[in-house]
Amino acid sequence: MNGSKAPLDEVRFLTVAEVASVMRVSKMTVYRMVHSGVLPAIRVGRSYRVPERAVQDYLREAFVEAG
């Protein structure tokens, strides 16, 4: 199919507030990450949704770089 990507019906999306809580940062920081392209997101109406996997991947990469 399309590599290791999950089918859309299996993708779990998080709100900006949920991402901020998981990452222990402010919502503004998450918005900056989305707008700068660091975190991929989709727009739903006036709000953004971030794939949970993208957050996990970001944290995994950041952890390795800090190690």
Side-chain angles (χ1 to χ4, degrees):
M1 201 158 140
N2 55 2
S4 63
K5 303 233 185 231
L8 279 179
D9 60 344
E10 294 178 14
V11 176
R12 181 163 185 263
F13 290 97
L14 302 176
T15 65
V16 168
E18 289 171 329
V19 174
S21 176
V22 167
M23 296 179 69
R24 303 291 197 265
V25 297
S26 70
K27 290 192 295 183
M28 185 55 68
T29 297
V30 177
Y31 281 118
R32 285 188 194 114
M33 294 172 78
V34 168
H35 287 291
S36 68
V38 173
L39 275 179
I42 61 166
R43 189 140 192 192
V44 180
R46 294 181 59 196
S47 58
Y48 288 94
R49 297 292 184 268
V50 180
E52 184 177 38
R53 182 65 183 259
V55 176
Q56 294 168 350
D57 290 346
Y58 174 83
L59 291 174
R60 189 175 300 110
E61 289 173 19
F63 182 75
V64 170
E65 289 174 11

